[in-house]
Amino acid sequence: MSAVELASGVYRIAANIGNKDLFEGIWPIPDGVSINSYLVKGEKTALIDLVKDWDDALSQINEQLSSVGAEFKDIDYLILNHMEPDHTGWLAELKKQNPNLEILCSKKAVPLVKAFYKIEDGVTSVGSGDSLDLGGGKVLLFEDTPNIHWPETMVTFEKSTGILFSCDAFGSFGQVKDRVFDDELTMEDREFYERETLRYYANIVSTFSSFVLKAIEKLGGLDIRMIAPSHGIIWRKNPSEVIEQYRRLASYHNGPAEKEITLIWSSMYGNTEKLVRPLIEAVESEGVKINVHRVPQEHISFVLADAWKSAGLIFGMPTYEYRMFPPMAHVLDIFDRSHVKFRKIFRFGSFGWSGGAQKQFHEMTEALKWECIEPVEWQGAADEQIIQKAVEQARELARQIKNME
Ligand code: FEO
């Protein structure tokens, strides 16, 4: 595959990673992920962000560099917008091959370059307002955008072309093949990237939503004509579309999210499961969309994506040894880390010889500021009265979601 030209002298040099590994060692990528670097050629040459030697990333990158007559040894500057190893993993080897390489990164990234790669020489810190003139009309401006997604993160903006190299911000999961730009996508592609942007956002970025909103505000002063993120497609026709998607997703951190409900359930012997179908029907009878996930059968990555966009959550789980069914404790731990806050909640579940799930549920979610309606718990098998009570509570939750401002 050849490098893709974004503008004269600006190229996307990217690796498509397959689906056999988990991203960050935790998140499934059934459709892979792209890791994008960008080559900017003036009189000097800069590479913006790097890759990790993962899958056959390096051979892909080498092939694309060759396609524009470049090699790693020719690069004058490496701009590191972000230190996470998906974008820096090959740094020590690059520095070995190109000892004169000058590395530019934020002030907070400098100690990380040393900690991860034992490199101290040829590292210069840059920050908001700093620029690098490559000659030939290419000027790179830097802007600190902390916590998107680590504290040291910055973005790079090329002045003459209006291209924002945004690193993790405005990215998505999913490989990018022949259709690289937003204006080349089919309807099916658009739905795919919208879904994978949501999942990427919920899994990777959601914890830092308030910083996303601040960064969008801060970048508003730039004349952005194209957005080139480090994961996913390039937005050249309508960059404001992905900015608005990110703004909307970030806004869900303090509610309100979308008028839909995600039901997450687990069951040991079918006593909790028995209520799942009646509760789905109860929510749907109020005209509210419901997403349903069973854990641990379904991965938290997909559960979190639906929960992030839902204003209402229903949890069904039995008590297990005086506490919640363990896979559901994992769900709540991830929701806590990801700041799934300010949701409307209903919980139901059975218990055997003793309850206890509700107590732990309350303890684990107190900080999330959830608005919970009365739970329904029962010993052993649910009778018709219990089922009807839970159905009424699910309807009540659906009505609250429907009538939200
Ligand atoms: Fe794609 Fe936070 O690294």
Side-chain angles (χ1 to χ4, degrees):
M1 191 178 176
S2 298
V4 174
E5 188 176 54
L6 277 62
S8 173
V10 183
Y11 303 92
R12 168 188 176 269
I13 307 284
N16 271 325
I17 305 299
N19 61 9
K20 66 179 190 297
D21 293 323
L22 298 171
F23 191 79
E24 291 187 334
I26 174 171
W27 311 110
I29 39 172
D31 296 290
V33 64
S34 72
I35 300 187
N36 309 334
S37 300
Y38 296 94
L39 192 74
V40 183
K41 284 179 157 180
E43 288 162 16
K44 299 271 190 178
T45 299
L47 184 68
I48 300 174
D49 295 321
L50 193 57
V51 289
K52 169 178 158 19
D53 189 4
W54 180 15
D55 224 344
D56 68 343
L58 258 302
S59 63
Q60 296 181 57
I61 297 291
N62 267 314
E63 187 183 334
Q64 290 168 48
L65 282 174
S66 303
S67 75
V68 290
E71 290 182 58
F72 280 123
K73 68 175 176 51
D74 304 327
I75 293 163
D76 299 294
Y77 301 101
L78 175 67
I79 315 298
L80 294 178
N81 280 326
H82 173 30
M83 279 304 298
E84 193 165 11
D86 51 335
H87 309 292
T88 60
W90 203 63
L91 179 56
E93 185 55 34
L94 173 60
K95 185 73 177 165
K96 238 186 257 173
Q97 293 190 14
N98 182 348
N100 296 324
L101 180 76
E102 288 190 47
I103 297 169
L104 275 69
C105 59
S106 72
K107 193 172 170 188
K108 283 186 180 162
V110 173
L112 294 176
V113 173
K114 182 181 174 195
F116 277 92
Y117 305 108
K118 315 305 171 207
I119 296 172
E120 290 182 84
D121 293 338
V123 181
T124 304
S125 75
V126 291
S128 293
D130 289 337
S131 61
L132 174 68
D133 191 341
L134 297 174
K138 296 288 190 301
V139 178
L140 301 178
L141 306 179
F142 307 106
E143 194 68 55
D144 291 308
T145 50
N147 293 305
I148 310 173
H149 126 249
W150 283 7
E152 87 301 345
T153 315
M154 63 177 196
V155 296
T156 299
F157 180 73
E158 203 290 306
K159 220 170 150 183
S160 67
T161 54
I163 302 174
L164 180 72
F165 303 98
S166 59
C167 201
D168 279 358
F170 312 122
S172 78
F173 288 139
Q175 292 191 351
V176 178
K177 292 187 177 155
D178 300 335
R179 296 182 292 279
V180 169
F181 296 98
D182 58 339
D183 50 282
E184 296 174 328
L185 302 183
T186 64
M187 195 55 81
E188 198 182 332
D189 293 335
R190 296 187 81 79
E191 285 168 7
F192 170 78
Y193 287 114
E194 189 172 343
R195 208 166 47 241
E196 286 296 80
T197 299
L198 164 67
R199 196 166 66 87
Y200 173 85
Y201 186 91
N203 292 182
I204 309 297
V205 189
S206 60
T207 307
F208 309 103
S209 291
S210 60
F211 293 93
V212 171
L213 294 174
K214 276 184 207 158
I216 290 174
E217 190 71 37
K218 198 173 180 183
L219 299 174
L222 297 173
D223 176 23
I224 298 172
R225 279 169 271 159
M226 201 183 304
I227 290 183
S230 60
H231 304 290
I233 62 158
I234 295 166
W235 298 81
R236 78 177 165 190
K237 185 176 181 200
N238 193 6
S240 61
E241 187 177 329
V242 72
I243 295 174
E244 286 316 309
Q245 188 182 3
Y246 260 65
R247 195 199 304 275
R248 179 169 49 78
L249 292 173
S251 77
Y252 297 161
H253 83 289
N254 56 5
E258 291 168 31
K259 290 188 176 188
E260 57 187 69
I261 288 174
T262 292
L263 190 163
I264 307 149
W265 67 279
S266 46
S267 189
M268 295 166 67
Y269 296 108
N271 288 309
T272 298
E273 181 175 6
K274 190 176 173 189
L275 271 70
V276 170
R277 178 48 49 193
L279 297 195
I280 293 170
E281 287 168 3
V283 170
E284 286 176 341
S285 74
E286 294 293 335
V288 173
K289 183 184 172 195
I290 184 163
N291 316 295
V292 182
H293 296 280
R294 182 177 191 177
V295 292
Q297 283 82 351
E298 290 179 64
H299 195 283
I300 184 64
S301 169
F302 302 92
V303 180
L304 177 57
D306 275 338
W308 183 258
K309 68 181 169 80
S310 296
L313 303 174
I314 297 178
F315 294 92
M317 96 282 287
T319 290
Y320 187 92
E321 294 172 350
Y322 308 107
R323 302 207 283 180
M324 286 189 298
F325 189 59
M328 201 60 86
H330 174 60
V331 169
L332 292 184
D333 176 48
I334 295 290
F335 282 13
D336 184 40
R337 290 162 185 264
S338 304
H339 297 185
V340 184
K341 290 182 170 178
F342 301 104
R343 279 13 183 215
K344 294 181 187 295
I345 307 293
F346 168 54
R347 192 194 83 78
F348 66 98
S350 68
F351 60 88
W353 74 85
S354 159
Q358 183 58 32
K359 182 170 177 288
Q360 193 195 9
F361 182 83
H362 177 71
E363 287 165 0
M364 284 191 77
T365 60
E366 211 172 353
L368 292 173
K369 306 192 185 311
W370 284 353
E371 202 178 302
C372 302
I373 62 173
E374 192 187 340
V376 174
E377 285 194 299
W378 64 94
Q379 187 169 32
D383 58 21
E384 202 44 42
Q385 203 181 351
I386 294 284
I387 295 171
Q388 280 317 308
K389 197 174 162 191
V391 161
E392 190 38 53
Q393 290 299 74
R395 277 206 191 110
E396 170 57 23
L397 186 77
R399 282 193 289 269
Q400 286 188 17
I401 298 299
K402 195 166 60 176
N403 297 325
M404 275 184 341
E405 287 299 311

